Every structure is written in C-alpha cells, then in structure tokens.
Amino acid sequence: YANPLTGLPGNKVIEERISQALHLDACTLLYLDLNHFKAYNDLYGFKKGDEMLRTLGNILQKSLLLNNQVDGFLGHIGGDDFVILLNHYSYEALCHQVIQEFDAVVPQFYLPEDQLRGYVVARNRNDQMEQTPLVSLSITAITNQEFQFSNLDNLTMAAALGKKICKKTTGSHLHTLTLYQWKEV
C-alpha cells in the first residue's frame, strides 16, 4: 500500500489513518501540495519532477523526526499531494521548518537562468506561452479544535477548500482553515 515513488504510505493507509483520527481528542491534518508543479514537470521532465517529489518526502520525514513528532503520520496521496496527521495542535513550527527547507532546495532543481529570473517560460493548458513562478509549497492545516468532522468525506472536502485558498497565494506558505471559511462554502 506504499506509494511507489516515495515509499510512503499511500491512499488506502491514509484513509484508514484519517478515519481513526476523526475520533481523537486532538488532531491536526496537514495537507501539503506543490504549486506550479505541472509546469515544472512539463518543462523539466517527469524524472526531475519525481526527484523533487522524493526530496519533499525526505524533508517531511526528517522534519517530523527533528520536531519529535514520532507519533506523526506521513502519507503520499499521489502526484504532488502529501498528508501529515498529528495528535495535537502544535504544528506551526513544523510547517515553517518544512517550508524553509523546501524553499532552500527548490532552486537546485532549476537551470541558473530560471533561478535568476524566478520563473520559467512554459506552455499552459491552452498551449500559450506564459511565465510560471518556481515551484512552491502550500500547507493547509485543519484541526479538530475548531471542527468536528463526522466522516472522511467532510474532512477531505475541507482539505480541498484549504488547497483552493492556498492556491490563491504566491510562494510557499501555511494556511490554517478557519470555521468562517468552512461555513462560507
């Protein structure tokens, strides 16, 4: 049930762990997604894209260990989406460390001229050339401190909403989903 690219637990195990987490007294779900990864993958090739995904997986594993999150669960949903489950609400330091480390290594995946410009020129889905920023990392945090999700579907809908909100912001960042944002849906 592991994701073949990163060796991290895949969808079946992720769903089981999230279902179990719905019953915890304290739980934080971190949904991690790469911004502009498709443009990178299209321009540099899937082999370099896979290398970036493995690097992110390694950063996440290392950060969990360095932050004494031995009870934390890390899974690779697929593509450029990852999930972390914590049995507490102290997630901000971990997220900021992950972002800092990821942002430090991302430039090594680009040619010097793309690094210098801070963007790539690539074809979009409409086959038009456009400037696309370098890959960045969005993290959405959802806790049961503010939300009580009755089932996996509601929690994954909240994660999708958080991802949508994150995609509107430039650069790597952490966004904590609020009850107000959830009620707006």
Side-chain angles (χ1 to χ4, degrees), residues 32-104:
L32 302 97
D33 177 58
L34 293 179
N35 305 313
H36 314 294
F37 182 71
K38 182 185 180 332
Y40 176 84
N41 219 24
D42 289 350
L43 189 63
Y44 281 87
F46 73 89
K47 189 170 174 143
K48 292 290 285 179
D50 287 353
E51 186 181 329
M52 184 182 287
L53 294 173
R54 280 192 293 275
T55 297
L56 175 57
N58 291 337
I59 289 170
L60 296 173
Q61 287 177 323
K62 183 177 101 181
S63 295
L64 283 169
L65 290 174
L66 291 175
N67 284 278
N68 294 322
Q69 304 292 338
V70 291
D71 293 335
F73 170 79
L74 169 62
H76 185 177
I77 296 169
D80 62 338
D81 297 328
F82 293 80
V83 66
I84 294 175
L85 288 168
L86 304 171
N87 59 0
H88 53 76
Y89 306 127
S90 301
Y91 59 89
E92 290 184 8
L94 169 70
C95 293
H96 292 300
Q97 179 184 350
V98 166
I99 287 170
Q100 184 177 9
E101 190 167 343
F102 182 76
D103 284 350

Side-chain angles (χ1 to χ4, degrees), residues 86-135:
L86 304 171
N87 59 0
H88 53 76
Y89 306 127
S90 301
Y91 59 89
E92 290 184 8
L94 169 70
C95 293
H96 292 300
Q97 179 184 350
V98 166
I99 287 170
Q100 184 177 9
E101 190 167 343
F102 182 76
D103 284 350
V105 300
V106 160
Q108 77 184 21
F109 289 97
Y110 287 90
L111 294 172
E113 55 268 22
D114 292 337
Q115 289 177 29
L116 193 57
R117 274 196 316 260
Y119 63 86
V120 296
V121 178
R123 293 199 178 277
N124 63 20
R125 294 174 195 253
N126 298 324
D127 204 32
Q128 297 171 335
M129 297 302 284
E130 72 178 0
Q131 296 176 1
T132 304
L134 303 184
V135 173

Side-chain angles (χ1 to χ4, degrees), residues 161-177:
L161 171 63
K163 178 179 174 176
K164 182 178 177 183
I165 292 169
C166 279
K167 291 289 187 183
K168 294 179 182 178
T169 306
T170 323
S172 294
H173 62 283
L174 165 64
H175 175 79
T176 301
L177 190 68

